[in-house]
Amino acid sequence: MASRARVRAPELVGAGGWLNTGGKDLVLADFRGKIVIADFWTFCCVNCLHVLDELRELEEKHRDTVVIVGVHSPKFVHEADHRAVVDAVARYEVHHPVLDDPALVTWKQYAVRAWPTLVVIDPEGYVVAQHAGEGHAHAIARLVEELEAEHEAKGTLRRGDSPYVPAEPVARELKFPGKAVRLPGGTFLVADTGHHSLVELAEDGESVVRRIGDGERGLVDGLSPRFSEPQGLALVPEGLDLGYDVVVADTVNHVLRGVRLADGEVRTLAGTGKQWWQGSATEGPATGVELSSPWDVAWFDGRVWIAMAGVHQLWAFDPAAGTVAVAAGTTNEGLVDGPVAEAWFAQPSGLAVSADGDRLWVADSETSAVRWVSRETMTVHTAVGTGLFDFGHRDGEAGQALLQHPLGVTVLPDGSVAISDTYNHALRRFDPASGEVTTLATDLREPSGAVLVDGDIVVVESARHRLTRLRLPEEAVRVESVAHRTQRAATEVAPGVFQLDVVFSAPSGQKLDERYGPSTRLLVSSTPPELLLSGAGADSALDRELVLSEEVAEGVLHVSAMAASCDDDPEIEYPACHVHQQDWGVPVKLTPGGVRRLPLVLAGME
């Protein structure tokens, strides 16, 4: 086994304490003899949710030697609320100990710069690897096997159960519901996300009529279907006979499903069940193209548009042609308006279409923004929101109004848009006619969607596990304004020539495969654009010389890196290849005494 730098792992500290340990507070010494994988995550981040799923198989296979420790490190103010972390651990079925670190103490001690980041600690308490982003499960699995062999031989491996203690289950009809639609007969169809099923509720929004899906996570079609954390729902337009009545964004399965309401039969419409990666097809026969965490769906311009949260894009499914294709966005994460092919989104999670069909409204959650697509010009516009790092609860003129991670949008009868302002626990309203943002209701626990019913609005209160019916108020609620920025400290950097290095080491037994061209990619940009005098754009090298402006006091460097590694064995006819990818948004402050080099670890050790 290759020698590694001996870096002692810092202590695991968090003011919120420990979850999933039966009330016991843990320290790093409690894990001595085990291989520890510290997963720095936050529950708003779809990439973090992907990693939770990636690690499930490894967690089960090596349960007597490996302990995964989730270190919850919040981006949004709401995510620093301990109750919200407790909800998230239950919502996403996290089956390992979790440290709640609201002040980012452990994050800073481990020099983490991005969500998600995985740090591997050996049985003697030393850091042996760090991986940022997605696609590292196979590399970590290989490293775990090497560490098991090494420390078994040394006598420093301790087998046995994890300190994980599951929370007591709570019986309820709905569990973290996502979205809902009203069916023609007046009942509601609800994506019962936490129960991996759909539920039809009576007109009262409470009584269960039937359940579609058996409650177990899976991808099964037919009359005994299974889902995996379904979210968005869209009714097939009246008069269109497709053999199904509802389209479902089956989020964690990375597919769209069709549901026939007459008997509850389910079929897969788009996606393969595997997650889309850079380099995968972006158009083609619908069931042959991979998707990535579709979060909502809406009929727009004759197709089913998809909020593809996992890759920061909008896609479209054409049921007549049986095809799917990218419709808007570049996969770069951020807030950039313009033609659909050039626009940037950040985890779009809610869709709604204007009454005249001319606008597709988008809840762009990670930028705390509401955006819209023009059907006439196929351009993207921002109504509310400024970027990845500014959020809050502030009403008034839309240009200065603030939201906090909204997940849903609903078009109201007057043409305005109700916003499920999820992390503000509020229902907000944007009026395109006046350009004003107001608050309609507060004290809604993580609202994720809403449905109009006559003069009322039925809100999906995800963290209260229910639908809540409200009378649309004639007057806005007065709310004290608050504004926030992501609490990560800015890196002090020197203006002028500046070196950016993305660190990547191929996993043991693999190498970068250049047979068909470059296997790495680096994309760099900045907010504001004036921060970068040179060095912006895409290239294959993972290191780059930048020039930073002396005229800009602070900003954000946006760095997106990808590396593909393949089996390094000439005897293997068809080598297995894996994609590693991560996006960083690094807040920087320009100062003459700042650093002139920024290393970002994609995989390996700096």
Side-chain angles (χ1 to χ4, degrees):
M1 188 172 182
S3 61
R4 302 185 181 88
R6 302 286 283 175
V7 179
R8 176 66 71 178
E11 189 54 83
L12 301 172
V13 180
W18 289 85
L19 304 175
N20 283 353
T21 64
K24 181 181 179 181
D25 289 334
L26 302 175
V27 295
L28 200 56
D30 294 326
F31 303 106
R32 194 58 51 83
K34 297 281 192 176
I35 300 162
V36 176
I37 301 171
D39 175 15
F40 291 84
W41 70 298
T42 188
F43 62 79
C44 74
C45 160
V46 71
N47 310 94
C48 299
L49 305 184
H50 291 165
V51 168
L52 282 175
D53 289 318
E54 285 180 11
L55 293 176
R56 292 187 197 278
E57 182 179 346
L58 183 145
E59 189 171 24
E60 178 62 29
K61 183 177 179 181
H62 298 274
R63 60 190 310 168
D64 65 333
T65 58
V66 172
V67 178
I68 296 174
V69 174
V71 183
H72 189 268
S73 313
K75 172 186 174 180
F76 290 99
V77 168
H78 170 61
E79 293 176 303
D81 177 353
H82 182 70
R83 178 182 169 190
V85 180
V86 172
D87 283 345
V89 168
R91 180 193 294 267
Y92 297 115
E93 298 179 358
V94 179
H95 293 163
H96 50 250
V98 173
L99 175 66
D100 181 11
D101 182 22
L104 301 182
V105 174
T106 298
W107 165 287
K108 294 170 186 173
Q109 287 294 311
Y110 280 79
V112 175
R113 292 185 179 275
W115 297 278
T117 291
L118 299 168
V119 177
V120 182
I121 303 169
D122 74 12
E124 295 178 285
Y126 290 93
V127 174
V128 293
Q130 180 173 321
H131 298 75
E134 302 179 51
H136 302 294
H138 73 287
I140 292 176
R142 181 77 64 91
L143 177 58
V144 163
E145 290 173 356
E146 293 180 357
L147 289 170
E148 286 176 340
E150 177 184 338
H151 289 273
E152 189 91 80
K154 290 174 65 175
T156 49
L157 185 69
R158 176 172 57 87
R159 295 182 180 271
D161 292 336
S162 161
Y164 166 66
V165 178
E168 288 295 323
V170 178
R172 48 173 65 101
E173 296 291 0
L174 299 178
K175 181 181 179 184
F176 300 108
K179 312 283 186 184
V181 292
R182 195 182 188 204
L183 299 180
T187 59
F188 298 93
L189 189 66
V190 182
D192 191 7
T193 309
H195 284 140
H196 311 296
S197 61
L198 309 180
V199 174
E200 185 177 356
L201 299 180
E203 291 185 69
D204 62 8
E206 297 179 8
S207 306
V208 174
V209 176
R210 62 171 166 167
R211 184 174 293 274
I212 301 173
D214 65 6
E216 294 294 323
R217 188 190 295 269
L219 177 52
V220 179
D221 285 342
L223 293 172
S224 300
R226 286 185 171 177
F227 301 86
S228 188
E229 298 182 31
Q231 289 282 352
L233 306 167
L235 291 175
V236 172
E238 199 172 332
L240 192 60
D241 184 10
L242 297 174
Y244 51 90
D245 307 291
V246 180
V247 178
V248 182
D250 194 5
T251 305
V252 177
N253 277 327
H254 309 296
V255 295
L256 299 188
R257 317 289 291 279
V259 180
R260 187 169 63 200
L261 292 174
D263 57 6
E265 183 184 59
V266 173
R267 67 182 73 176
T268 298
L269 305 177
T272 66
K274 295 182 179 179
Q275 184 184 340
W276 186 94
W277 290 97
Q278 290 287 353
S280 300
T282 56
E283 61 180 341
T287 54
V289 176
E290 295 161 354
L291 310 181
S292 182
S293 295
W295 211 276
D296 202 7
V297 281
W299 288 85
F300 177 62
D301 195 29
R303 296 176 292 169
V304 179
W305 282 55
I306 309 163
M308 201 73 78
V311 286
H312 317 299
Q313 291 179 307
L314 305 179
W315 287 43
F317 164 60
D318 185 336
T323 58
V324 69
V326 173
T330 64
T331 76
N332 297 325
E333 183 180 16
L335 192 153
V336 176
D337 290 340
V340 290
E342 301 172 12
W344 293 21
F345 295 90
Q347 214 168 299
S349 302
L351 301 175
V353 181
S354 61
D356 59 10
D358 286 343
R359 289 188 180 186
L360 177 70
W361 293 97
V362 183
D364 203 28
S365 62
E366 279 294 289
T367 52
S368 297
V370 171
R371 322 276 296 278
W372 55 278
V373 179
S374 166
R375 183 173 62 87
E376 181 180 0
T377 63
M378 280 297 154
T379 52
V380 178
H381 308 262
T382 297
V384 187
T386 60
L388 284 165
F389 299 99
D390 295 293
F391 56 92
H393 192 149
R394 186 162 66 200
D395 287 335
E397 191 273 323
Q400 58 83 52
L402 293 173
L403 310 169
Q404 187 178 181
H405 198 79
L407 290 179
V409 280
T410 306
V411 175
L412 300 178
D414 63 358
S416 64
V417 180
I419 307 162
S420 294
D421 193 6
T422 309
Y423 288 1
N424 279 327
H425 308 299
L427 189 67
R428 311 284 292 282
R429 175 178 178 263
F430 168 66
D431 184 357
S434 66
E436 295 285 314
V437 174
T438 54
T439 298
L440 299 177
T442 57
D443 191 31
L444 298 165
R445 190 72 183 169
E446 293 191 16
S448 55
V451 183
L452 280 177
V453 180
D454 303 323
D456 297 342
I457 190 164
V458 175
V459 180
V460 181
E461 278 198 89
S462 189
R464 282 200 177 112
H465 317 286
R466 71 186 189 191
L467 304 188
T468 299
R469 187 163 181 153
L470 304 172
R471 176 71 61 183
L472 280 172
E474 295 182 5
E475 295 185 4
V477 177
R478 294 189 63 84
V479 177
E480 182 178 353
S481 295
V482 292
H484 303 286
R485 283 185 64 82
T486 300
Q487 61 175 311
R488 286 184 293 163
T491 300
E492 293 190 353
V493 300
V497 177
F498 184 80
Q499 183 65 32
L500 172 67
D501 293 320
V502 173
V503 179
F504 177 77
S505 299
S508 177
Q510 295 206 327
K511 66 176 181 179
L512 293 175
D513 189 348
E514 308 286 350
R515 289 176 299 171
Y516 306 107
S519 58
T520 58
R521 178 177 180 268
L522 179 64
L523 174 68
V524 181
S525 63
S526 67
T527 303
E530 296 76 25
L531 172 62
L532 273 178
L533 296 181
S534 71
D539 202 349
S540 58
L542 291 180
D543 59 286
R544 188 176 303 178
E545 184 178 277
L546 313 177
V547 178
L548 306 182
S549 173
E550 296 182 0
E551 306 300 320
V552 177
E554 61 181 5
V556 179
L557 285 175
H558 302 284
V559 180
S560 178
M562 183 275 290
S565 60
C566 301
D567 290 335
D568 185 13
D569 185 344
E571 299 300 316
I572 300 177
E573 184 177 1
Y574 301 105
C577 296
H578 302 273
V579 176
H580 317 253
Q581 62 185 46
Q582 172 62 3
D583 296 333
W584 291 268
V586 183
V588 295
K589 182 178 181 181
L590 282 292
T591 176
V595 299
R596 293 192 174 276
R597 176 178 178 265
L598 177 64
L600 299 174
V601 178
L602 178 60
M605 292 284 287
E606 162 63 3

